[in-house]
Amino acid sequence: MRSTWLGLGLGMLTLIGCNALWQGYLSPIDDPLVDASVDELDLNGADLTGVPPPDLTGADFTGVSPPDLIMPPKPCGLTTAKSGVFSYSTYATAIPLASLAASKLAVMDIDKDGLAEVAVSTTSSPVKVFKLSGAPTCVFGAATDCIVNDAIADLRGLSIDGTAGAFVVARSNASANAISTCTGIPINHKTIMNGNFASNSPRRELTVPPLKSNTNGIFILHEKSSNSSDRVNSVKLDATAGLASTVMLVNLDINNNFEPRNATGARIDDAAPDGTLDVIALEVNGSMGRMRAYNNNHMATPATVKGTATLTANFADLNRITSARLSNDSFDDAVVIVTSTDPPQIVPHIISAGGTITPKSAISINIPVASADRSKLMFTDLDADGIDELIAINGSNVSIYAYNAAANTLSAPQNLAVRGGYTAVAIALGYSEKNLSSGPPDIFVIANSGGTNEVGVFRWLP
């Protein structure tokens, strides 16, 4: 199996490398244009030479169609140059963003034509949206602006009931205009205003449902407020009502005035997922700190408490939090991103039945310095074993780590190199094409080289 880096060049879109995915792990090859060999082993010692092992029931992953098998066409115009190697491809349409030092990235099919759009921005408006069209050649058109009229705090792609898609923008301002949406082609921009949003928020962070999860248009907005209580909002975009919003304050400022200083959306359903993102929060009350998991039904406030763990107030106040599936149950787990250490670290907290929260802090888990941010690391299940892998920015690489729950450790990284001379800046997960969505997600990355910027994608291909 192969993965491919497609450079969405700011001069032109260029496929610039191949990497291998075998048994769920990706490893680099020497020269994707010249050398078809792979001389590294994955984490399990698997052979990545491109030669199918004898126990693979005769499956052929070289890209050469055997006489008795009709292979599907390679997506986006990718062709086989020789056995096991994809050709170097270019796209005709230039992207005029050479000087835009983009730092925010999202991927979503917002016009539901089966092909994803890519959204990028700096911390300032506008969000620039690129439409992928013309399959199988896959040309990205010129940017369309989604004018937000405020500084941009966060940018995510949201799928709604499988029938609609949107880019959701968290705005950085001193008003209740907290959210913008960018939908459709041509772009339709909407501002979502609600009195439940903080009137002065220096930090707003979004969590959208994970890829392949059930979704009913609900996402989580955490607000750090400078003049009122920190808060968490459950926000619903209704696809049947023209993406109108229903906003509810999930009032976590309860029980002796604990405030949610940091929070993330998560799935902590007791049985089957209900499509509504729940909440895990790091809360502080004076010198006391805690982590709490809440079940959110987007109707009742405050949300139902599922579990509590005691933390130091400083730990809860300073660090960020995200969620991941690190154990085989129906609960997402909490991952605290600790930026105060050198190097930075992550601290998993396993959430189990009954809402029990078990911190896995006996062993420090170091992460790359460049990835100590919610936009620079993500979790997703690449090998379909029920446990998420960590995907993190690591200088000129995007690095993939497997988590070992028993040992509370990360594997050695499997590195995917961006274009030579470039540095990875931000990552996003998505599917360029709907017909590829049964496999591992594409890994999109903003890469920067001085005044030149591009968006590329690592794609796994059968």
Side-chain angles (χ1 to χ4, degrees), residues 275 282 393 437:
L282 299 178
I393 284 177
S437 61

Side-chain angles (χ1 to χ4, degrees), residues 74 91 137 181 210 314 320 440 456:
K74 296 292 186 292
Y91 299 121
T137 55
T181 59
N314 186 60
R320 299 293 187 266

Side-chain angles (χ1 to χ4, degrees), residues 107 258 343 349 361 366 421 432:
V107 180
F258 274 88
H349 289 67
S361 56
N366 296 331
S432 297

Side-chain angles (χ1 to χ4, degrees), residues 25 43 383 388-390 400-404 409-412:
Y25 301 107
L43 304 179
D383 55 3
D388 287 349
E389 281 73 49
L390 168 63
I400 299 175
Y401 304 83
Y403 177 68
N404 184 318
T409 57
L410 296 177
S411 68

